[in-house]
Amino acid sequence: NLQSGAILAFVPVSVSVAVGAQPAVVVLAAGLLAYVILIAMATALEAGLRARRRLKRVVATNVAEKAVLVCGILAVFVFGLGLIGIAVVYPVAGVTRVTLDYVLTFGRRRPADRTRSSVFSLVRRAAPFALNAAAFNFVPRLDVPIIALFSATSAAYFALGWQVFTTLVLIP
């Protein structure tokens, strides 16, 4: 996810620079794309948690990520950090979720410490969830970029609203 996402993120950021977009908008685009890459990584890690029926851990990581995101956005508004602040907050929230997912998935052991049979069993049980995660990577969300064509501020509000909505849907 990290490698393919970085390659795919390079194109829109490069195009934004080439067409002379405002620097704050370019940084915001890079931050949001980094966030999408991190969430794809987290979703892939969560496939293992879901396969082992560790749904409380999945909810905990999602809620932690949303809490970091909401607190960060509030701080951006309070301190007037603008688009650059938003561009920083989203990847920080994504890193929070990936880190928690990694720790909760593998614990103190590294992935290579697992036996071959336990890895095969986990992959087999995680397949439906992993396919869902893969679909998230191959079917990109275009709503925020389309809204950003009209207004970067509207896109930021939409993205924030989407985060709140997905948290509310996840909890039940």
Side-chain angles (χ1 to χ4, degrees):
N1 282 327
L2 182 61
Q3 291 170 345
S4 63
I7 292 167
L8 292 173
F10 178 77
V11 174
V13 171
S14 298
V15 169
S16 297
V17 170
V19 299
Q22 297 175 2
V25 173
V26 174
V27 172
L28 179 62
L32 291 175
L33 289 168
Y35 175 72
V36 169
I37 294 164
L38 290 163
I39 295 308
M41 292 169 62
T43 304
L45 286 168
E46 288 166 3
L49 291 172
R50 290 175 190 271
R52 289 183 279 151
R53 307 299 185 248
R54 304 282 197 261
L55 299 180
K56 288 181 182 178
R57 292 180 181 187
V58 173
V59 170
T61 61
N62 279 264
V63 169
E65 175 231 333
K66 304 304 185 216
V68 168
L69 191 58
V70 169
C71 291
I73 295 295
L74 288 175
V76 166
F77 286 123
V78 168
F79 295 110
L81 300 175
L83 296 179
I84 301 295
I86 292 171
V88 171
V89 167
Y90 270 84
V92 168
V95 166
T96 300
R97 183 165 161 191
V98 168
T99 301
L100 289 172
D101 280 331
Y102 185 87
V103 169
L104 292 174
T105 300
F106 297 112
R108 295 175 193 243
R109 293 187 282 177
R110 293 185 351 213
D113 292 341
R114 301 217 178 246
T115 65
R116 181 174 243 175
S117 63
S118 69
V119 170
F120 179 75
S121 175
L122 180 62
V123 168
R124 190 184 61 214
R125 290 182 300 178
F129 307 109
L131 290 174
N132 182 36
F136 179 77
N137 294 328
F138 294 117
V139 183
R141 291 188 31 154
L142 298 175
D143 45 4
V144 173
I146 289 171
I147 293 171
L149 291 174
F150 301 103
S151 166
T153 304
S154 296
Y157 283 126
F158 179 85
L160 178 61
W162 179 255
Q163 294 306 315
V164 172
F165 172 75
T166 55
T167 300
L168 294 175
V169 169
L170 176 73
I171 291 171

